[in-house]
Amino acid sequence: MSNELEFLSRRVASGKLSRRDFLGRAAALGVTATFANSLLSSAAHAAGPVKGGTLKAGLVGGESTNSLDPALFMTQVPFAFGKMWGELIVELSPEGTLENRIAEEIGSSDDAKVWTLKIRDGIEFHNGKTVTAEDVAATLERHSDEKSKSGALGYMKGIESIKASGKEVVLTLKEANADLPYLLSDYHLIIQPNGGKDKPDAGISAGPYKITTNEPGVRHGGERFANYWQADKMGHADQIEIIVINDATARTAALQGGQVNMINRVEPKIVDLIKRLPGVTIRNHSGPGHYVFIMHCNTAPFDNNDLRMALKLAIDREEMLDKVLRGYGSLGNDFPINASYPLFTEIEQRKYDPDKAKFHYKKSGHEGAILLRTSDVAFPGAVDAAQLFQQSAAKAGITLEIKREPGDGYWSEVWNKQPFCASYWGGRSTQDQMYSTAYLSTADWNDTRFKRPDFDKMVLAARAELDEAKRKAMYHDMGVMVRDEGGLILPMFNQFIDATGAKVAGWVDDPHQELMNGYALAKCWLEA
């Protein structure tokens, strides 16, 4: 038994076996979690990350319009590149716990309304300046300003005041929020000198890599930051490089040919083929990510709830899950929460019902075709999914006109601008963060234009409720409202499916986002 676990622990350390599978095997052998974790720690220490070389990723989700301003990050490439050069206040671990980064300690008042962040000593920005409490406060101030158009604005608006004093930053909230530390792990909140107020797109923070190349839509690169405060734990390669490859076939070919060491967004329909490639490992895991079709509730004909309900009932979720995700996902139910959230509660599953869809469509009074925009970059299989939607809607007497948009410009010209399109969400760490980012009336990323004062009040009330049972019930009611009255059509929750090439070690499954929650390039290495 001991030899088997030691062997398996070494496979975890080298990224060839998931931590979850190892712990499951250890439990089956009657080994305590404490002892199993000690074996993992010993194996990781013995394996010792190999330093040096260039680690390359070929990623979908890059556009010529991408900016280095963290407030504007919205697609996969800026997200992953930001984790290379940026440093956050806190980081969400694969197990869902918080790990302090720039904040050494975080504490709150008994009512969870006043929070104090103690800023760690000795962290250096890439420009040589020491990170201060003032820099942290300025960063949070900028993301709380509507002019920043920050993706974190929805919940940052809940902060009443931000004050820096000595080594501390004190945040006073408008309403109590027990989840605040989790919100501070948002990937937009990269700490910058003076908060980025002087030059938000300067690309300077305190992360493991300094930017050397920034060609939006083409490639991005960095070199290891010699003065990184956790140099022993991250930044194993001398250089990292992201090559933007929006075409799925080209991305797979680049991995197979050794031009890149890892890729994201492997299409489910080719997973079995990729598994056969020598040296290639599929990295898939479930989480809060979801693939969607979004309708603007304030734009005709989607301002009519009968029309919205007709479209929700006219999509065959089970067929889409089977044919698009090939089982690498689970059914969605038109609200953005699943069992990966601790306070999740079941709501009756919506099913494909062309007769009911026909009833609501007739009641809406709408006639004529409805334009649905889609693209290969919206999510893997988005074009196929739109065509399946078109076919299932036709059986309800609804005509969908499908327009396939180019990948470059989709996130700047289509998503959050056109009234009906395919999209994706990676999910968030808490229900409050998900709802505050995408469903509050004031949120910049409210991509369904679901603007309901009564819902806003529910979000704020749940945020302030410290009784878990009551909070859970409130989130249930919020889910029902979004499901039945919102502009979200959520047919399926996806698994994140990445792939790595030969000699890539150090991989750890992380349910929160793709590419180890964006840290794969920083935490993995190439075996000698």
Side-chain angles (χ1 to χ4, degrees):
M1 180 181 74
S2 176
N3 288 339
E4 179 183 356
L5 286 180
E6 287 178 5
F7 168 74
L8 293 176
S9 67
R10 289 194 295 272
R11 288 182 62 80
V12 175
S14 63
K16 296 185 173 87
L17 180 71
S18 75
R19 182 187 183 92
R20 185 188 311 127
D21 289 343
F22 172 81
L23 293 176
R25 181 58 183 156
L29 292 171
V31 174
T32 66
T34 301
F35 181 67
N37 279 309
S38 70
L39 281 177
L40 287 180
S41 298
S42 298
H45 181 74
V50 176
K51 294 188 181 293
T54 300
L55 198 56
K56 298 182 179 181
L59 306 183
V60 62
E63 298 183 308
S64 57
T65 54
N66 289 154
S67 169
L68 287 176
D69 179 359
L72 306 180
F73 290 177
M74 67 175 70
T75 54
Q76 300 96 316
V77 169
F79 164 72
F81 191 45
K83 293 291 181 86
M84 300 303 97
W85 63 268
E87 188 60 283
L88 301 171
I89 295 171
V90 290
E91 175 191 344
L92 196 62
S93 77
E95 294 77 27
T97 58
L98 288 172
E99 296 180 358
N100 291 331
R101 310 295 294 171
I102 283 179
E104 187 175 26
E105 294 177 13
I106 300 180
S108 76
S109 58
D110 291 339
D111 62 359
K113 199 169 181 180
V114 179
W115 291 82
T116 302
L117 318 178
K118 182 181 178 183
I119 306 307
R120 195 183 300 272
D121 286 330
I123 298 183
E124 185 178 311
F125 283 121
H126 299 148
N127 62 4
K129 181 183 179 293
T130 299
V131 178
T132 66
E134 286 75 16
D135 295 312
V136 174
T139 297
L140 298 178
E141 287 170 356
R142 188 171 80 84
H143 289 270
S144 303
D145 186 347
E146 288 189 17
K147 294 178 182 178
S148 72
K149 296 192 176 297
S150 174
L153 181 64
Y155 60 83
M156 291 300 292
K157 278 190 169 184
I159 300 176
E160 181 73 46
S161 67
I162 303 168
K163 294 181 180 179
S165 177
K167 296 180 181 180
E168 294 183 343
V169 177
V170 179
L171 308 178
T172 301
L173 310 185
K174 295 176 182 177
E175 304 287 343
N177 191 344
D179 286 342
L180 181 78
Y182 289 90
L183 307 184
L184 297 178
S185 69
D186 190 300
Y187 63 91
H188 296 95
L189 302 181
I190 288 174
I191 303 303
Q192 298 174 274
N194 195 30
K197 292 181 178 180
D198 307 316
K199 188 170 173 50
D201 59 354
I204 295 174
S205 184
Y209 289 89
K210 293 174 62 174
I211 294 175
T212 56
T213 305
N214 182 52
E215 300 174 30
V218 182
R219 69 179 63 235
H220 307 272
E223 63 182 11
R224 193 178 342 149
F225 179 38
N227 294 336
Y228 181 55
W229 70 282
Q230 276 202 323
D232 60 324
K233 294 184 179 180
M234 296 175 70
H236 305 309
D238 288 334
Q239 309 278 340
I240 56 99
E241 184 176 10
I242 293 174
I243 302 170
V244 178
I245 311 177
N246 286 326
D247 180 77
T249 302
R251 208 160 53 249
T252 304
L255 180 67
Q256 184 179 9
Q259 284 82 36
V260 299
N261 307 111
M262 60 183 69
I263 60 174
N264 68 338
R265 298 292 166 104
V266 176
E267 294 192 337
K269 64 184 179 183
I270 63 170
V271 167
D272 290 339
L273 292 174
I274 291 183
K275 283 181 177 179
R276 300 174 194 165
L277 298 177
V280 172
T281 303
I282 289 290
R283 314 284 189 172
N284 64 291
H285 55 274
S286 301
H290 44 282
Y291 296 159
V292 299
F293 299 99
I294 53 175
M295 304 173 283
H296 287 183
C297 295
N298 62 355
T299 304
F302 310 106
D303 55 350
N304 184 305
N305 196 42
D306 279 299
L307 188 281
R308 298 198 298 272
M309 184 59 72
L311 288 169
K312 292 173 184 179
L313 292 165
I315 192 166
D316 191 334
R317 301 158 199 276
E318 293 186 351
E319 179 187 40
M320 200 169 287
L321 180 66
D322 179 56
K323 292 183 177 179
V324 175
L325 293 191
R326 308 292 177 97
Y328 289 96
S330 58
L331 288 177
N333 199 19
D334 299 336
F335 70 107
I337 307 301
N338 66 359
S340 67
Y341 291 88
L343 300 182
F344 169 75
T345 54
E346 294 282 355
I347 296 174
E348 182 183 357
Q349 177 64 51
R350 177 164 287 145
K351 297 180 179 179
Y352 176 50
D353 192 331
D355 291 333
K356 271 190 178 181
K358 190 177 294 184
F359 167 79
H360 284 284
Y361 184 63
K362 184 177 181 180
K363 189 177 177 184
S364 77
H366 180 77
E367 295 181 354
I370 298 171
L371 179 62
L372 170 61
R373 300 172 192 269
T374 187
S375 173
D376 290 325
V377 302
F379 58 81
V383 175
D384 292 339
Q387 291 169 346
L388 287 174
F389 193 2
Q390 182 183 51
Q391 293 163 18
S392 63
K395 295 176 184 177
I398 302 172
T399 301
L400 290 184
E401 178 186 340
I402 307 299
K403 184 175 182 181
R404 186 171 181 172
E405 299 280 5
D408 192 36
Y410 189 78
W411 300 111
S412 56
E413 302 300 328
V414 178
W415 175 76
N416 214 9
K417 290 188 177 179
Q418 299 297 336
F420 192 27
C421 73
S423 185
Y424 80 93
W425 278 88
R428 290 297 186 269
S429 57
T430 66
Q431 291 196 48
D432 175 63
Q433 190 176 17
M434 188 68 238
Y435 285 129
S436 296
T437 301
Y439 297 90
L440 274 181
S441 298
T442 54
D444 200 56
W445 281 14
N446 186 333
D447 58 4
T448 58
R449 304 297 190 270
F450 179 69
K451 300 190 176 185
R452 293 277 298 270
D454 52 348
F455 183 82
D456 295 346
K457 290 179 181 177
M458 293 170 76
V459 173
L460 297 178
R463 187 183 288 175
E465 180 56 65
L466 302 182
D467 183 292
E468 188 171 291
K470 291 180 180 178
R471 201 176 192 205
K472 191 172 185 178
M474 295 164 84
Y475 282 136
H476 173 273
D477 294 343
M478 290 160 63
V480 170
M481 182 179 286
V482 169
R483 173 185 181 272
D484 294 344
E485 302 175 46
L488 181 72
I489 301 174
L490 198 165
M492 50 197 173
F493 285 89
N494 62 288
Q495 288 189 10
F496 296 111
I497 311 177
D498 305 310
T500 56
K503 296 186 177 181
V504 172
W507 188 278
V508 176
D509 286 339
D510 192 317
H512 301 106
Q513 286 279 3
E514 63 182 33
L515 296 168
M516 293 172 52
N517 199 18
Y519 285 109
L521 281 167
K523 294 185 177 181
C524 289
W525 63 90
L526 294 174
E527 292 181 324

